[in-house]
Amino acid sequence: MTPVAASAVPVSFPVRKLRPLLAALLSAGIILPACGADALPRPAPARTYALPSAPLADVLNRFAAESGVILVFDASLLQGVQSKGLRGNYDVPSGFRTLLAESKFEVVMGASGGYMLRARPAPVRDELPAVEKRPAQTLSEITVEAKTLPTVERLDREMIRNMPAINGDMTSQLKLNPNIQYAEASLASATGGEIAPAEISIHGAKPYQNEILVDGISISNDIDPGNKVTTTSVDQIPGGSQALAIDSSILCEIDVKDSNVSAEYGRFTGGVVSATVCSARKKFGGNVSVGYSSSSWSKLFIDPARQEEFEDSANADLQPHFRKWTYKTTVEARPGDSWGVLMNVVRRKSEIPLKRFNTDNANTTASREVTQTRQQDTLLLKADYSPADSRHKGEVTMVYAPSSNTYFMENYRDSNYTIDSGGLNLSGKWESRYDLARVTHQLSYSKNEQSRRSDADYYRAWRWSTDKNWGDPASGTNPTSGEGARGDIDQEIQTMQYKLRAAFEPFNLGQTRHRATVGAELRHQQADYERLKDHFYYLTPANLPTTGVASRCTLPDGTVDTEACSATKTLRYNAGQYFGRLMTYHAGKFDVESNSWAAYAEDEATWRNLTVRVGVRGDKDSLAGGTNFAPRLKLGWQATDPLYLDVGANRYYGRNLFAYALQEKANTLLTTQTRSTNLVWGAAATSKPLNRLEDMKSPYDDELTAGATYDSDLLAGPLSLRFTHRNGKDQVVRLVRSGQTDCNSNSCYIFSNDGGSVTRDITLSWSNARAFKIGGVANRLWLAVNKSDVESNYATYAENYSSAMLRDDLIRYDGKVIRYSEQPAQNYNRPWTLRIGAMSTWPAHSLTISNILRMRGGYEQILRNGTFVHEGATLENYEKTRLPQANAIDTVVNWTPRVVRNQRLDVKLIIENITNEKNKMTVSDTYATYERGRTFALEIGYGF
């Protein structure tokens, strides 16, 4: 739909809370003077137009812009339709009539004063005007399907284009959705150079248990999405919940399904984020743009206790300086009425200068500045085939989105490494409309990675000496000089998938009306783990003998050990040194395969003012074993004309990840050797598994939900109130179990189903159903309020789950004795949020200003503080530290003046946290962390 923007109206909220923001709200356009609103626009006088021949959608847009009116229509319905243009003197109604004279459309004025394109009603046969009796024109018959304007759950192309998201990723666009909470670190001042997609939680679920779809194909990371171990881990590589970091500029719609989700969707316990890639709309056109942001364009709030460490940082967790560049190119064409092709290329890059060492060392150049980089590329090709006179249509989509991030190990030389992720998604969809049903086939292939490349295949932490002198000799009591990295690992997953969906035409059974849908999915996945070459990890430095050949690092056979021995006396021990332990991670490869299927059936029956949707989904995955059946039930009642009530009971099964099986085998590539002062390595001992995968069940959430929607002309849009209760069961956690003779050191990390969670959400949202005018400005408005309570007994599957958690021991929390599982979640758990979005468009000036106000309730951080004796038992003691409320206004100014004909300049200014609020994120005994303050980003482009 070609939508129009909306601004906000004044809202009622405690003045005490809003006073610090009031001036910014007024200046940013979120609150506009109500006295300027026109109930209906004054008729525009006739004027002269000279619009050249062009696609009808473009001519209508230009006429509306030049006449200063708002026009709403679905541009995709006019694909391939040409207009002769408009020349002469016209007022607004006569101009629209002339442009649409030979089409099957007309433009009517709505109650808000805007105009809407609709199908022209068929005249009575005896009164057919002369124009209808002419021979058939070149225009094909077009069916108009009415769509409402977007809501807080569903974003259209204009909202995506105008949402304030500096990093441009898909999930950062969802700030208005009341059921989504972001990771606390997503806006951290200390890591402003990062560009990874934002991690989100839906109804308290872990980010990796959302299903993220692009054109119906999953881009969720099935390898190891919850692994947030340090980037220096020997055999594990950090990852995110999204396998592909897709730039949102390629998307035309994002739809979030968070409650009463249809049986068509599975593989989630949180929600479904479904995005649609844009198709070509112009006969020929495109755009190019360049964007920029940097630390000098940002206010970075750092605790004074950490400011010096921040400025001299050698750690990627502290980024005092960064520069971000974005380059975009789009070309689209519709050579014929029935088909089109679109290509989009995006490169987003961040440069983060850091010191290699956290202290200066005059004896070496190793302390020089090194620039880490983060880079995301997106190459999109989409072709669609949709002939107007055919019951078939199809599309092919290719998205290639690799990411490459460079790092180094702090205080180590020769320690550079790169983490590669992302990959390829290729899908083809074919839809056929038959008399009985609409049948869709979709076949897809994807190949994604989570890999690492290092500069060195060794790791050594020497004691400092004049020979090993690149470290800091004044660092601690036993200074060291480290070198090397963690080796090369490839992790890759390939997925082949087929989807079948049949949506039957509505039919009657007695007095009931039915809409039935059935479908099936087949999926084959293969995940590979490969260490490309041997990696040598030297440990346990010891003193060399002071006499004999060994004192000179000479082995009994006369060879000299130059790899793991130094005869130079160390600073502290006044003797040479050698490493007494060698862990060799051998080159090797193994794979894990999974076959899964799913089938679903759903029927929506309507009787009078009642609607019942009954569905069931069955899933089976060879990784987990058993078959899961997920019932979906929704009952709706149209109580009155504007009031709709519904209740639902649903079960959602989550995904089983390959990380569980891959980590079981990784440690089997390890051997260990030791030696003494003779410098001869002993026999290699092969390690047993460090992790073990036992029989597992699929995690699931049971949902109970109730809602009410009031949609009347009085409110100018739907007002929705919803309560959602989620009970998460069989969640996957990792616990330590001793006495395991088949594991390394008789102790294993075991993945089990001992995790659980409970979530209660109340949300109130309102979306402007149609644009309204204030003077010459078209306005749209969104409002959402959320009250949330999340309890969870674990953080992610990658963190160790203690025996106290397993037993659900008593603990003391905030002065009260409770069970461990009853403590609140430590992330994604703001108790309440208020979000207001406004988009205001000046068509005559080609200007759009968008604003989002986000107010988030004070966050409760949990800190462990010793123990507490309760009834003779010693309990772990946890204290609650309440962080203050966080407020922010994000703004986008988008100016698109016409240069010549259909060519436009595109200037986009994004300002996050325009009021420069100092929002605290976390506290500890030594310092606090904060979100970024006012941050600017500028993008300049040219469209043709």
Side-chain angles (χ1 to χ4, degrees):
M1 180 172 286
T2 301
V4 284
S7 182
V9 294
V11 295
S12 176
F13 203 80
V15 175
R16 178 180 58 83
K17 294 184 177 181
L18 284 178
R19 185 174 294 126
L21 304 173
L22 187 57
L25 286 166
L26 290 168
S27 63
I30 288 184
I31 300 179
L32 297 176
C35 59
D38 298 323
L40 289 174
R42 299 180 179 89
R47 53 171 294 184
T48 300
Y49 297 89
L51 307 182
S53 175
L56 180 57
D58 293 345
V59 175
L60 288 173
N61 269 329
R62 183 169 175 181
F63 177 76
E66 292 191 8
S67 58
V69 299
I70 304 99
L71 174 65
V72 178
F73 69 99
D74 190 342
S76 65
L77 300 174
L78 301 180
Q79 290 178 357
V81 181
Q82 287 291 119
S83 170
K84 297 177 181 178
L86 186 68
R87 296 181 182 276
N89 192 266
Y90 298 91
D91 59 16
V92 173
S94 64
F96 279 130
R97 283 197 300 270
T98 302
L99 288 171
L100 300 172
E102 297 182 356
S103 75
K104 296 182 180 296
F105 297 102
E106 65 180 4
V107 166
V108 296
M109 180 183 290
S112 65
Y115 290 84
M116 180 172 290
L117 184 76
R118 71 178 187 186
R120 185 182 292 115
V124 180
R125 182 175 298 275
D126 293 340
E127 299 177 357
L128 288 176
V131 69
E132 296 275 342
K133 298 178 182 179
R134 297 175 185 171
Q137 304 296 314
T138 57
L139 291 173
S140 301
E141 182 177 356
I142 299 173
T143 301
V144 176
E145 297 181 358
K147 292 184 179 179
T148 59
L149 289 178
T151 64
V152 294
E153 293 88 12
R154 184 179 65 83
L155 281 65
D156 68 353
R157 187 172 190 173
E158 290 299 308
M159 289 182 71
I160 296 170
R161 174 182 172 82
N162 289 284
M163 285 293 106
I166 285 180
N167 285 341
D169 59 285
M170 177 175 22
T171 43
S172 289
Q173 304 280 350
L174 306 177
K175 294 177 181 178
L176 282 174
N177 193 301
N179 296 308
I180 287 178
Q181 294 211 31
Y182 288 83
E184 290 298 310
S186 62
L187 293 174
S189 279
T191 54
E194 300 298 334
I195 58 175
E199 299 280 22
I200 61 171
S201 170
I202 300 178
H203 288 305
K206 309 307 178 186
Y208 51 82
Q209 283 296 0
N210 298 318
E211 179 69 312
I212 303 178
L213 305 173
V214 174
D215 273 4
I217 302 303
S218 175
I219 65 164
S220 299
N221 182 1
D222 287 342
I223 300 178
D224 199 358
N227 188 358
K228 304 301 180 185
V229 298
T230 63
T231 53
T232 55
S233 173
V234 179
D235 55 6
Q236 297 179 40
I237 302 169
S241 60
Q242 297 177 51
L244 302 184
I246 289 180
D247 194 89
S248 61
S249 63
I250 72 172
L251 305 176
C252 278
E253 183 175 279
I254 305 175
D255 187 13
V256 179
K257 308 174 191 301
D258 57 67
S259 61
N260 281 329
V261 183
S262 165
E264 179 180 350
Y265 301 96
R267 290 173 29 99
F268 71 93
T269 59
V272 178
V273 180
S274 178
T276 302
V277 175
C278 296
S279 298
R281 300 190 301 175
K282 300 178 180 179
K283 187 172 183 180
F284 180 77
N287 61 72
V288 295
S289 66
V290 177
Y292 179 76
S293 183
S294 71
S295 53
S296 61
W297 289 18
S298 305
K299 174 60 178 177
L300 304 180
F301 291 116
I302 304 297
D303 193 301
R306 214 180 187 194
Q307 186 68 43
E308 183 177 355
E309 178 188 5
F310 180 72
E311 293 296 336
D312 296 328
S313 174
N315 191 315
D317 292 334
L318 297 174
Q319 302 172 5
H321 308 289
F322 60 85
R323 297 177 295 272
K324 296 180 180 180
W325 291 93
T326 304
Y327 309 93
K328 301 179 184 179
T329 301
T330 301
V331 178
E332 58 182 304
R334 299 205 70 84
D337 294 344
S338 60
W339 66 286
V341 179
L342 181 142
M343 181 181 75
N344 177 276
V345 180
V346 179
R347 166 161 289 183
R348 193 175 297 275
K349 186 172 184 178
S350 177
E351 299 172 343
I352 307 169
L354 296 168
K355 292 183 176 180
R356 186 175 293 277
F357 281 67
N358 58 20
T359 58
D360 292 329
N361 182 2
N363 296 326
T364 178
T365 59
S367 299
R368 67 184 184 277
E369 184 178 270
V370 180
T371 298
Q372 294 188 2
T373 61
R374 313 286 187 263
Q375 182 171 303
Q376 299 169 357
D377 294 322
T378 304
L379 169 62
L380 163 74
L381 289 172
K382 183 168 184 176
D384 66 277
Y385 174 73
S386 52
D389 57 350
S390 173
R391 65 176 59 191
H392 306 287
K393 65 178 182 179
E395 64 183 36
V396 176
T397 304
M398 186 204 79
V399 180
Y400 179 57
S403 298
S404 182
N405 300 333
T406 66
Y407 303 86
F408 59 83
M409 293 172 57
E410 181 181 9
N411 293 333
Y412 277 70
R413 75 174 189 179
D414 303 326
S415 64
N416 296 340
Y417 61 95
T418 302
I419 292 179
D420 295 320
S421 58
L424 172 70
N425 268 25
L426 178 64
S427 71
K429 182 190 294 185
W430 187 258
E431 181 182 295
S432 302
R433 290 175 175 262
Y434 300 109
D435 294 339
L436 182 63
R438 180 188 302 183
V439 180
T440 304
H441 304 269
Q442 187 167 23
L443 183 65
S444 65
Y445 168 78
S446 65
K447 182 178 181 180
N448 303 310
E449 68 172 324
Q450 190 171 329
S451 304
R452 181 178 64 207
R453 291 290 185 275
S454 303
D455 276 3
D457 59 2
Y458 56 84
Y459 170 92
R460 296 185 282 254
W462 298 97
R463 295 170 176 171
W464 196 95
S465 70
T466 56
D467 178 38
K468 312 297 181 184
N469 66 346
W470 55 86
D472 182 11
S475 177
T477 58
N478 188 17
T480 61
S481 291
E483 61 180 342
R486 301 295 191 179
D488 298 347
I489 292 176
D490 275 355
Q491 289 185 124
E492 182 180 273
I493 185 169
Q494 298 185 66
T495 304
M496 288 288 297
Q497 182 177 4
Y498 169 72
K499 288 185 176 182
L500 170 66
R501 181 179 186 270
F504 293 93
E505 292 297 317
F507 59 93
N508 295 325
L509 286 177
Q511 298 183 6
T512 60
R513 182 81 166 165
H514 295 262
R515 295 176 180 268
T517 305
V518 298
E521 301 174 14
L522 298 174
R523 181 192 303 261
H524 173 75
Q525 292 182 291
Q526 178 174 318
D528 302 317
Y529 181 103
E530 181 178 12
R531 185 174 285 276
L532 303 183
K533 54 186 178 181
D534 291 355
H535 175 71
F536 305 99
Y537 189 6
Y538 295 95
L539 296 167
T540 319
N543 293 335
L544 280 173
T546 56
T547 61
V549 294
S551 67
R552 300 187 296 275
C553 293
T554 302
L555 278 65
D557 62 3
T559 60
V560 178
D561 182 356
T562 59
E563 295 292 324
C565 184
S566 172
T568 305
K569 294 181 179 180
T570 61
L571 181 65
R572 179 180 179 185
Y573 294 99
N574 198 32
Q577 60 182 313
Y578 71 98
F579 289 103
R581 187 181 182 196
L582 171 60
M583 300 173 69
T584 304
Y585 292 83
H586 294 276
K589 181 179 181 179
F590 50 84
D591 61 73
V592 178
E593 291 190 358
S594 168
N595 293 301
S596 61
W597 63 263
Y600 61 90
E602 193 166 69
D603 178 42
E604 184 176 86
T606 303
W607 177 72
R608 297 184 180 178
N609 58 350
L610 293 176
T611 301
V612 178
R613 190 183 72 192
V614 179
V616 64
R617 180 183 178 91
D619 292 271
K620 185 172 183 179
D621 185 341
S622 60
L623 280 179
T627 303
N628 302 315
F629 290 98
R632 311 282 172 90
L633 175 64
K634 177 186 176 183
L635 173 64
W637 175 39
Q638 193 71 50
T640 63
D641 184 41
L643 179 61
Y644 177 79
L645 306 175
D646 68 81
V647 294
N650 306 279
R651 173 169 288 187
Y652 310 122
Y653 278 95
R655 310 198 318 281
N656 290 289
L657 305 171
F658 282 86
Y660 314 148
L662 292 176
Q663 290 182 21
E664 181 182 23
K665 298 182 179 181
N667 209 56
T668 61
L669 300 176
L670 172 64
T671 61
T672 302
Q673 297 170 270
T674 60
R675 65 178 179 177
S676 60
T677 53
N678 65 2
L679 304 184
V680 177
W681 290 110
T686 301
S687 292
K688 298 177 182 179
L690 186 62
N691 299 277
R692 194 174 72 223
L693 179 63
E694 296 183 335
D695 291 339
M696 292 179 57
K697 296 176 285 187
S698 298
Y700 68 93
D701 266 29
D702 282 333
E703 173 187 83
L704 295 175
T705 181
T709 302
Y710 190 82
D711 190 359
S712 71
D713 292 338
L714 178 64
L715 296 179
L719 177 68
S720 175
L721 175 65
R722 179 162 300 281
F723 169 75
T724 303
H725 180 278
R726 292 277 190 89
N727 192 0
K729 300 178 181 179
D730 290 342
Q731 309 296 305
V732 178
V733 297
R734 189 175 77 161
L735 55 91
V736 180
R737 185 174 295 166
S738 59
Q740 307 297 305
T741 57
D742 57 338
C743 288
N744 205 39
S745 301
N746 293 325
S747 178
C748 254
Y749 293 111
I750 306 293
F751 290 104
S752 74
N753 292 106
D754 290 300
S757 62
V758 177
T759 304
R760 305 169 191 86
D761 276 323
I762 301 176
T763 58
L764 177 69
S765 64
W766 175 78
S767 299
N768 204 182
R770 55 184 180 272
F772 62 91
K773 291 191 68 177
I774 298 178
V777 184
N779 301 285
R780 287 159 64 185
L781 179 66
W782 301 270
L783 169 68
V785 182
N786 167 265
K787 178 69 174 67
S788 181
D789 180 22
V790 180
E791 297 174 2
S792 178
N793 66 351
Y794 74 109
T796 75
Y797 68 82
E799 295 190 7
N800 293 340
Y801 190 80
S802 70
S803 56
M805 300 177 188
L806 182 64
R807 296 188 304 266
D808 200 13
D809 285 352
L810 292 173
I811 63 171
R812 186 174 185 259
Y813 169 69
D814 194 29
K816 300 178 182 177
V817 175
I818 63 173
R819 292 290 175 184
Y820 193 97
S821 60
E822 295 173 347
Q823 64 177 318
Q826 299 189 43
N827 202 355
Y828 310 101
N829 195 19
R830 292 279 183 174
W832 64 265
T833 64
L834 168 67
R835 317 171 198 217
I836 302 174
M839 191 155 63
S840 303
T841 301
W842 287 257
H845 300 287
S846 304
L847 181 66
T848 298
I849 298 179
S850 303
N851 302 277
I852 293 180
L853 165 65
R854 292 179 299 122
M855 304 180 69
R856 292 155 289 158
Y859 185 69
E860 295 181 356
Q861 184 181 352
I862 301 171
L863 300 176
R864 184 175 177 179
N865 185 17
T867 58
F868 176 78
V869 177
H870 172 69
E871 296 180 354
T874 301
L875 310 182
E876 293 183 353
N877 185 55
Y878 294 87
E879 293 182 352
K880 177 174 66 176
T881 300
R882 185 172 181 83
L883 302 177
Q885 175 181 315
N887 306 315
I889 300 175
D890 302 331
T891 299
V892 175
V893 180
N894 203 331
W895 183 47
T896 57
R898 188 182 303 276
V899 178
V900 58
R901 296 183 180 177
N902 291 327
Q903 301 179 35
R904 290 181 178 272
L905 184 66
D906 191 347
V907 181
K908 183 177 182 180
L909 176 65
I910 302 176
I911 312 172
E912 290 187 345
N913 194 0
I914 193 173
T915 57
N916 206 33
E917 296 287 320
K918 190 174 183 179
N919 296 318
K920 186 179 294 186
M921 288 170 35
T922 63
V923 295
S924 68
D925 294 339
T926 55
Y927 60 83
T929 63
Y930 299 88
E931 294 180 357
R932 291 190 298 276
R934 186 185 297 113
T935 303
F936 294 87
L938 179 64
E939 184 176 312
I940 299 177
Y942 195 85
F944 57 92

